[in-house]
Amino acid sequence: MEQSNSPLAIKTGIDLVHMPRFEKHVTDQRFLQRILTDRELVLFEELTTTRRRLEFLCGRYACKEAYSKAMGTGIGVTDFHDFEVLKNDSGAPVSDKGAVSISHDGAYAIGMVIIYG
């Protein structure tokens, strides 16, 4: 089934990440620069523990994958830098391209994106 192109369409994407897959990438600057935007990298560098950096990286990765799914393209057509997740004054994840939600539990991170119109 094709996604609707109606101006009132709601597009959703969700992605689940097994965080141990990314443990080796937390200190890999080349990988981090490929996945995170410059502003996301600033937020990442402010984090003081390896665990929190891993959660941040995996949450952002999951949201970027979720965004590509919501767009119906997948990563490849959509680049990791096409979707940026920052934080509001309360620390909640935000994006100017849609609503986002990130959660972590144990070895998993999940990201969900909702795009309106």
Side-chain angles (χ1 to χ4, degrees):
M1 176 182 279
E2 284 189 40
Q3 290 183 322
S4 171
N5 289 327
S6 162
L8 301 176
I10 297 173
K11 301 174 187 175
T12 62
I14 191 166
D15 192 64
L16 179 69
V17 172
H18 190 235
M19 291 194 298
R21 255 183 62 209
F22 287 80
E23 287 175 343
K24 65 184 175 190
H25 298 300
V26 172
T27 58
D28 181 346
Q29 285 301 313
R30 187 169 181 216
F31 181 84
L32 294 171
Q33 290 172 347
R34 187 167 69 90
I35 303 302
L36 303 175
T37 66
D38 289 342
R39 294 191 304 176
E40 289 169 326
L41 273 169
V42 169
L43 296 174
F44 176 86
E45 294 296 334
E46 291 173 355
L47 301 171
T48 58
T49 68
T50 301
R51 175 65 186 189
R52 188 62 199 102
R53 285 182 174 199
L54 179 62
E55 290 173 345
F56 182 95
L57 174 61
C58 291
R60 272 26 184 214
Y61 185 92
C63 282
K64 291 163 188 279
E65 286 280 351
Y67 173 75
S68 73
K69 291 173 184 178
M71 294 303 292
T73 61
I75 294 293
V77 174
T78 302
D79 185 80
F80 287 110
H81 286 200
D82 290 342
F83 191 72
E84 182 176 61
V85 181
L86 301 174
K87 64 179 183 173
N88 67 16
D89 292 338
S90 301
V94 294
S95 176
D96 63 356
K97 292 191 176 183
V100 297
S101 183
I102 299 173
S103 186
H104 317 93
D105 187 20
Y108 294 92
I110 192 166
M112 181 172 179
V113 173
I114 302 172
I115 302 169
Y116 302 96

